[in-house]
PDB file of all heavy atoms in Angstrom:
ATOM      1  N   SER X1007     167.569 110.715  20.384  1.00  0.00           N
ATOM      2  CA  SER X1007     166.247 110.410  19.834  1.00  0.00           C
ATOM      3  C   SER X1007     165.358 111.652  19.783  1.00  0.00           C
ATOM      4  O   SER X1007     164.414 111.712  18.990  1.00  0.00           O
ATOM      5  CB  SER X1007     165.555 109.287  20.633  1.00  0.00           C
ATOM      6  OG  SER X1007     165.452 109.611  21.999  1.00  0.00           O
ATOM      7  N   TYR X1008     165.659 112.664  20.606  1.00  0.00           N
ATOM      8  CA  TYR X1008     164.945 113.947  20.500  1.00  0.00           C
ATOM      9  C   TYR X1008     165.212 114.567  19.134  1.00  0.00           C
ATOM     10  O   TYR X1008     164.298 115.036  18.448  1.00  0.00           O
ATOM     11  CB  TYR X1008     165.384 114.895  21.607  1.00  0.00           C
ATOM     12  CG  TYR X1008     164.915 116.324  21.406  1.00  0.00           C
ATOM     13  CD1 TYR X1008     163.589 116.673  21.647  1.00  0.00           C
ATOM     14  CD2 TYR X1008     165.796 117.312  20.966  1.00  0.00           C
ATOM     15  CE1 TYR X1008     163.146 117.980  21.447  1.00  0.00           C
ATOM     16  CE2 TYR X1008     165.361 118.607  20.768  1.00  0.00           C
ATOM     17  CZ  TYR X1008     164.029 118.942  21.009  1.00  0.00           C
ATOM     18  OH  TYR X1008     163.598 120.229  20.804  1.00  0.00           O
ATOM     19  N   PHE X1009     166.477 114.562  18.721  1.00  0.00           N
ATOM     20  CA  PHE X1009     166.831 115.122  17.418  1.00  0.00           C
ATOM     21  C   PHE X1009     166.349 114.245  16.269  1.00  0.00           C
ATOM     22  O   PHE X1009     165.927 114.758  15.228  1.00  0.00           O
ATOM     23  CB  PHE X1009     168.340 115.306  17.319  1.00  0.00           C
ATOM     24  CG  PHE X1009     168.879 116.441  18.142  1.00  0.00           C
ATOM     25  CD1 PHE X1009     169.906 116.240  19.038  1.00  0.00           C
ATOM     26  CD2 PHE X1009     168.355 117.716  18.015  1.00  0.00           C
ATOM     27  CE1 PHE X1009     170.402 117.280  19.802  1.00  0.00           C
ATOM     28  CE2 PHE X1009     168.843 118.777  18.778  1.00  0.00           C
ATOM     29  CZ  PHE X1009     169.879 118.553  19.682  1.00  0.00           C
ATOM     30  N   SER X1010     166.408 112.937  16.446  1.00  0.00           N
ATOM     31  CA  SER X1010     166.144 112.029  15.324  1.00  0.00           C
ATOM     32  C   SER X1010     164.689 111.613  15.196  1.00  0.00           C
ATOM     33  O   SER X1010     164.254 111.223  14.107  1.00  0.00           O
ATOM     34  CB  SER X1010     167.012 110.768  15.458  1.00  0.00           C
ATOM     35  OG  SER X1010     166.683 110.052  16.639  1.00  0.00           O
ATOM     36  N   ASN X1011     163.906 111.690  16.271  1.00  0.00           N
ATOM     37  CA  ASN X1011     162.525 111.195  16.166  1.00  0.00           C
ATOM     38  C   ASN X1011     161.533 111.885  17.098  1.00  0.00           C
ATOM     39  O   ASN X1011     160.641 112.593  16.636  1.00  0.00           O
ATOM     40  CB  ASN X1011     162.496 109.685  16.417  1.00  0.00           C
ATOM     41  CG  ASN X1011     161.119 109.098  16.199  1.00  0.00           C
ATOM     42  OD1 ASN X1011     160.464 109.371  15.191  1.00  0.00           O
ATOM     43  ND2 ASN X1011     160.647 108.300  17.142  1.00  0.00           N
ATOM     44  N   TRP X1012     161.685 111.693  18.409  1.00  0.00           N
ATOM     45  CA  TRP X1012     160.561 112.066  19.267  1.00  0.00           C
ATOM     46  C   TRP X1012     160.366 113.580  19.387  1.00  0.00           C
ATOM     47  O   TRP X1012     159.243 114.035  19.662  1.00  0.00           O
ATOM     48  CB  TRP X1012     160.640 111.407  20.639  1.00  0.00           C
ATOM     49  CG  TRP X1012     161.659 111.910  21.628  1.00  0.00           C
ATOM     50  CD1 TRP X1012     162.873 111.352  21.911  1.00  0.00           C
ATOM     51  CD2 TRP X1012     161.519 113.027  22.517  1.00  0.00           C
ATOM     52  NE1 TRP X1012     163.504 112.062  22.901  1.00  0.00           N
ATOM     53  CE2 TRP X1012     162.693 113.099  23.294  1.00  0.00           C
ATOM     54  CE3 TRP X1012     160.523 113.984  22.735  1.00  0.00           C
ATOM     55  CZ2 TRP X1012     162.920 114.070  24.276  1.00  0.00           C
ATOM     56  CZ3 TRP X1012     160.729 114.968  23.704  1.00  0.00           C
ATOM     57  CH2 TRP X1012     161.915 115.001  24.463  1.00  0.00           C
ATOM     58  N   GLY X1013     161.409 114.368  19.147  1.00  0.00           N
ATOM     59  CA  GLY X1013     161.239 115.812  19.214  1.00  0.00           C
ATOM     60  C   GLY X1013     160.297 116.328  18.145  1.00  0.00           C
ATOM     61  O   GLY X1013     159.338 117.057  18.429  1.00  0.00           O
ATOM     62  N   SER X1014     160.547 115.941  16.895  1.00  0.00           N
ATOM     63  CA  SER X1014     159.683 116.390  15.801  1.00  0.00           C
ATOM     64  C   SER X1014     158.295 115.757  15.894  1.00  0.00           C
ATOM     65  O   SER X1014     157.284 116.400  15.573  1.00  0.00           O
ATOM     66  CB  SER X1014     160.319 116.049  14.454  1.00  0.00           C
ATOM     67  OG  SER X1014     160.557 114.658  14.339  1.00  0.00           O
ATOM     68  N   THR X1015     158.242 114.508  16.347  1.00  0.00           N
ATOM     69  CA  THR X1015     156.952 113.832  16.492  1.00  0.00           C
ATOM     70  C   THR X1015     156.093 114.501  17.556  1.00  0.00           C
ATOM     71  O   THR X1015     154.899 114.763  17.351  1.00  0.00           O
ATOM     72  CB  THR X1015     157.163 112.354  16.840  1.00  0.00           C
ATOM     73  OG1 THR X1015     157.945 111.725  15.818  1.00  0.00           O
ATOM     74  CG2 THR X1015     155.834 111.624  16.975  1.00  0.00           C
ATOM     75  N   ALA X1016     156.696 114.784  18.704  1.00  0.00           N
ATOM     76  CA  ALA X1016     155.954 115.453  19.778  1.00  0.00           C
ATOM     77  C   ALA X1016     155.554 116.871  19.370  1.00  0.00           C
ATOM     78  O   ALA X1016     154.471 117.341  19.731  1.00  0.00           O
ATOM     79  CB  ALA X1016     156.794 115.479  21.063  1.00  0.00           C
ATOM     80  N   SER X1017     156.413 117.544  18.616  1.00  0.00           N
ATOM     81  CA  SER X1017     156.088 118.896  18.164  1.00  0.00           C
ATOM     82  C   SER X1017     154.878 118.889  17.230  1.00  0.00           C
ATOM     83  O   SER X1017     154.001 119.752  17.329  1.00  0.00           O
ATOM     84  CB  SER X1017     157.296 119.514  17.438  1.00  0.00           C
ATOM     85  OG  SER X1017     158.392 119.653  18.314  1.00  0.00           O
ATOM     86  N   ALA X1018     154.836 117.917  16.321  1.00  0.00           N
ATOM     87  CA  ALA X1018     153.685 117.795  15.425  1.00  0.00           C
ATOM     88  C   ALA X1018     152.417 117.482  16.207  1.00  0.00           C
ATOM     89  O   ALA X1018     151.340 118.020  15.931  1.00  0.00           O
ATOM     90  CB  ALA X1018     153.946 116.708  14.388  1.00  0.00           C
ATOM     91  N   THR X1019     152.548 116.613  17.205  1.00  0.00           N
ATOM     92  CA  THR X1019     151.397 116.249  18.038  1.00  0.00           C
ATOM     93  C   THR X1019     150.885 117.457  18.805  1.00  0.00           C
ATOM     94  O   THR X1019     149.673 117.672  18.920  1.00  0.00           O
ATOM     95  CB  THR X1019     151.784 115.137  19.021  1.00  0.00           C
ATOM     96  OG1 THR X1019     152.364 114.052  18.305  1.00  0.00           O
ATOM     97  CG2 THR X1019     150.565 114.638  19.782  1.00  0.00           C
ATOM     98  N   LEU X1020     151.814 118.238  19.343  1.00  0.00           N
ATOM     99  CA  LEU X1020     151.427 119.441  20.077  1.00  0.00           C
ATOM    100  C   LEU X1020     150.655 120.393  19.179  1.00  0.00           C
ATOM    101  O   LEU X1020     149.634 120.957  19.580  1.00  0.00           O
ATOM    102  CB  LEU X1020     152.671 120.134  20.628  1.00  0.00           C
ATOM    103  CG  LEU X1020     152.414 121.434  21.393  1.00  0.00           C
ATOM    104  CD1 LEU X1020     151.638 121.168  22.677  1.00  0.00           C
ATOM    105  CD2 LEU X1020     153.723 122.152  21.691  1.00  0.00           C
ATOM    106  N   ARG X1021     151.122 120.554  17.958  1.00  0.00           N
ATOM    107  CA  ARG X1021     150.445 121.444  17.015  1.00  0.00           C
ATOM    108  C   ARG X1021     149.026 120.955  16.730  1.00  0.00           C
ATOM    109  O   ARG X1021     148.078 121.747  16.705  1.00  0.00           O
ATOM    110  CB  ARG X1021     151.256 121.513  15.713  1.00  0.00           C
ATOM    111  CG  ARG X1021     150.613 122.286  14.591  1.00  0.00           C
ATOM    112  CD  ARG X1021     150.386 123.730  14.934  1.00  0.00           C
ATOM    113  NE  ARG X1021     149.832 124.474  13.806  1.00  0.00           N
ATOM    114  CZ  ARG X1021     149.134 125.597  13.927  1.00  0.00           C
ATOM    115  NH1 ARG X1021     148.894 126.112  15.120  1.00  0.00           N
ATOM    116  NH2 ARG X1021     148.674 126.198  12.854  1.00  0.00           N
ATOM    117  N   ALA X1022     148.876 119.642  16.560  1.00  0.00           N
ATOM    118  CA  ALA X1022     147.555 119.078  16.292  1.00  0.00           C
ATOM    119  C   ALA X1022     146.628 119.271  17.493  1.00  0.00           C
ATOM    120  O   ALA X1022     145.468 119.672  17.342  1.00  0.00           O
ATOM    121  CB  ALA X1022     147.674 117.595  15.946  1.00  0.00           C
ATOM    122  N   LEU X1023     147.125 118.994  18.683  1.00  0.00           N
ATOM    123  CA  LEU X1023     146.306 119.138  19.893  1.00  0.00           C
ATOM    124  C   LEU X1023     145.935 120.597  20.130  1.00  0.00           C
ATOM    125  O   LEU X1023     144.788 120.915  20.477  1.00  0.00           O
ATOM    126  CB  LEU X1023     147.062 118.584  21.103  1.00  0.00           C
ATOM    127  CG  LEU X1023     147.264 117.067  21.142  1.00  0.00           C
ATOM    128  CD1 LEU X1023     148.288 116.699  22.216  1.00  0.00           C
ATOM    129  CD2 LEU X1023     145.945 116.347  21.397  1.00  0.00           C
ATOM    130  N   GLN X1024     146.898 121.501  19.928  1.00  0.00           N
ATOM    131  CA  GLN X1024     146.617 122.920  20.123  1.00  0.00           C
ATOM    132  C   GLN X1024     145.585 123.412  19.120  1.00  0.00           C
ATOM    133  O   GLN X1024     144.686 124.183  19.458  1.00  0.00           O
ATOM    134  CB  GLN X1024     147.919 123.720  20.005  1.00  0.00           C
ATOM    135  CG  GLN X1024     147.787 125.202  20.409  1.00  0.00           C
ATOM    136  CD  GLN X1024     147.275 126.077  19.276  1.00  0.00           C
ATOM    137  OE1 GLN X1024     147.406 125.730  18.094  1.00  0.00           O
ATOM    138  NE2 GLN X1024     146.694 127.206  19.635  1.00  0.00           N
ATOM    139  N   SER X1025     145.704 122.949  17.869  1.00  0.00           N
ATOM    140  CA  SER X1025     144.741 123.339  16.844  1.00  0.00           C
ATOM    141  C   SER X1025     143.354 122.821  17.184  1.00  0.00           C
ATOM    142  O   SER X1025     142.350 123.539  17.009  1.00  0.00           O
ATOM    143  CB  SER X1025     145.191 122.799  15.483  1.00  0.00           C
ATOM    144  OG  SER X1025     144.266 123.143  14.473  1.00  0.00           O
ATOM    145  N   LEU X1026     143.278 121.593  17.661  1.00  0.00           N
ATOM    146  CA  LEU X1026     141.997 121.008  18.038  1.00  0.00           C
ATOM    147  C   LEU X1026     141.333 121.802  19.153  1.00  0.00           C
ATOM    148  O   LEU X1026     140.142 122.145  19.081  1.00  0.00           O
ATOM    149  CB  LEU X1026     142.204 119.552  18.476  1.00  0.00           C
ATOM    150  CG  LEU X1026     140.989 118.822  19.052  1.00  0.00           C
ATOM    151  CD1 LEU X1026     139.857 118.761  18.029  1.00  0.00           C
ATOM    152  CD2 LEU X1026     141.389 117.422  19.504  1.00  0.00           C
ATOM    153  N   VAL X1027     142.104 122.118  20.185  1.00  0.00           N
ATOM    154  CA  VAL X1027     141.559 122.895  21.301  1.00  0.00           C
ATOM    155  C   VAL X1027     141.121 124.277  20.823  1.00  0.00           C
ATOM    156  O   VAL X1027     140.058 124.776  21.204  1.00  0.00           O
ATOM    157  CB  VAL X1027     142.596 123.009  22.438  1.00  0.00           C
ATOM    158  CG1 VAL X1027     142.116 123.986  23.509  1.00  0.00           C
ATOM    159  CG2 VAL X1027     142.869 121.648  23.057  1.00  0.00           C
ATOM    160  N   ALA X1028     141.931 124.894  19.964  1.00  0.00           N
ATOM    161  CA  ALA X1028     141.587 126.232  19.467  1.00  0.00           C
ATOM    162  C   ALA X1028     140.306 126.206  18.645  1.00  0.00           C
ATOM    163  O   ALA X1028     139.454 127.097  18.786  1.00  0.00           O
ATOM    164  CB  ALA X1028     142.746 126.776  18.624  1.00  0.00           C
ATOM    165  N   HIS X1029     140.141 125.202  17.773  1.00  0.00           N
ATOM    166  CA  HIS X1029     138.924 125.094  16.968  1.00  0.00           C
ATOM    167  C   HIS X1029     137.684 125.053  17.864  1.00  0.00           C
ATOM    168  O   HIS X1029     136.675 125.713  17.594  1.00  0.00           O
ATOM    169  CB  HIS X1029     138.973 123.833  16.121  1.00  0.00           C
ATOM    170  CG  HIS X1029     139.609 124.015  14.780  1.00  0.00           C
ATOM    171  ND1 HIS X1029     139.035 124.758  13.780  1.00  0.00           N
ATOM    172  CD2 HIS X1029     140.781 123.549  14.274  1.00  0.00           C
ATOM    173  CE1 HIS X1029     139.818 124.745  12.712  1.00  0.00           C
ATOM    174  NE2 HIS X1029     140.883 124.024  12.987  1.00  0.00           N
TER     175      HIS X1029
END
Side-chain angles (χ1 to χ4, degrees):
S1007 56
Y1008 168 76
F1009 287 127
S1010 63
N1011 185 48
W1012 73 260
S1014 58
T1015 302
S1017 297
T1019 307
L1020 179 66
R1021 174 62 177 157
L1023 291 167
Q1024 189 276 337
S1025 179
L1026 174 60
V1027 172
H1029 271 291

